[in-house]
């Protein structure tokens, strides 16, 4: 595997191997001596964090995870503004130039769907897709799946409710594709008509034989959920004519996970969110033991360390 571009490229076997490595790194990071030992693993290797869009979790977890494996990390946190993209340089030329500096891995977040694939097409260095427009976010989907495994102890026979802005939300798109690898999962997509999950994802689920339904009624969906995966309105992707200041983009009242929604859910269900959360999960939900979204974010570092390890092993 040279690049990580799409959730579809992973198999249950490769996912299991990544999760075992993530467990290994998680255990090592809890112990002072073992944590220091990890620093010798990839000394001299370099990771470039090239982010054309803003990020907290993805950029910092790759940065910190790579450093905890002994790597050098360089990058830019807003390449649209702070790289020569602002002067008109193409993504392809930027990737070609970074290749000349011979890093080990390029982690790329790009605002255009397909940006990671375009980069990989001109790059000898492995590209990790850290989110491309309204396309995919495969590393997020892997950490989401890792979190489901951690809390539910299985990846099949799950009722998973995926809700929010599903037409623009790349994390939901990638997670649905990963869940389709496993048997007898049932997905319920909850969204308003203008935010429905893409036809390409529905076709993929049909091809894989994964059952799914679409609804606008949150409470019905919540009752039977093992996993509730909630997402925000992707305000930054609203097209012209719909443009509004960020503070005016609010989750529809009927789509907020709050005390009423909690009362509808099973005691064993878990509530996930890729974050950032805006107003679609009420702060009071944070105190509920079913809310696992901060642990989910923590898992991102271990899973991304495992992906770095997989790529460096495969390409050494
Ligand atoms: N979930 C996620 O991708 O978060 P960031 O945009 O902060 O990286």
């Amino acid at each position: 595997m040279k690049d990580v571009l799409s959730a579809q490229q992973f198999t249950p076997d490769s996912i299991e191997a990544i999760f075992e490595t993530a467990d290994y790194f998680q255990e090592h990071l809890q112990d002072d001596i073992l944590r220091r030992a990890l620093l010798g693993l990839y000394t001299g290797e370099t990771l470039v964090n090239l982010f054309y869009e803003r990020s907290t979790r993805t950029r910092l977890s790759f940065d910190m995870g790579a450093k905890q494996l002994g790597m050098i990390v360089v990058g830019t946190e807003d390449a649209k503004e702070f790289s020569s993209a602002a002067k008109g340089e193409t993504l392809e030329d930027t990737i070609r130039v970074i290749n000349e500096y011979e890093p080990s891995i390029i982690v790329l977040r790009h605002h255009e769907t397909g940006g990671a694939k375009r980069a990989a097409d001109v790059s000898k260095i492995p590209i990790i897709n850290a989110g491309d427009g309204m396309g995919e976010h495969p590393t997020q989907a892997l950490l989401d799946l890792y979190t489901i495994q951690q809390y539910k102890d299985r990846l099949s026979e799950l009722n998973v409710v995926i809700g929010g802005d599903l037409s623009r939300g790349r994390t939901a798109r990638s997670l649905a594709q990963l869940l389709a690898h496993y048997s007898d999962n049932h997905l319920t997509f909850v969204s308003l008509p203008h935010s429905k999950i893409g036809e390409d994802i529905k076709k993929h689920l049909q091809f894989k034989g994964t059952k799914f339904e679409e609804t606008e009624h949150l409470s019905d969906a919540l009752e039977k959920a093992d996993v509730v995966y909630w997402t925000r309105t992707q305000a930054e992707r609203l097209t012209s004519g719909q443009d509004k200041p960020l503070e005016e983009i609010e989750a529809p009242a009927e789509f907020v996970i709050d005390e009423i929604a909690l009362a509808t859910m099973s005691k064993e269900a878990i509530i996930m969110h890729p974050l950032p959360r805006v107003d679609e999960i009420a702060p009071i939900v944070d105190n509920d033991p079913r809310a696992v979204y901060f642990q989910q974010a923590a898992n991102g570092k271990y899973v991304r360390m495992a992906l770095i390890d997989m790529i460096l092993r495969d390409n050494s």
Side-chain angles (χ1 to χ4, degrees), residues 168-202:
R168 289 171 283 263
R170 58 197 175 199
T171 69
R173 292 170 51 79
S174 289
L175 178 60
Q177 293 177 79
L178 280 192
L179 287 166
H181 282 313
Y182 301 91
S183 61
D184 298 322
N185 285 329
H186 185 284
L187 310 189
T188 304
F189 297 113
V190 184
S191 67
L192 293 171
H194 61 268
S195 304
K196 287 170 83 169
I197 194 88
E199 290 300 320
D200 57 334
I201 300 298
K202 288 191 261 183

Side-chain angles (χ1 to χ4, degrees), residues 258-267 288 290:
D258 54 13
E259 287 160 297
I260 299 167
L262 283 178
T264 316
M265 290 170 52
S266 139
K267 295 252 179 298
D288 191 286
R290 291 170 287 186

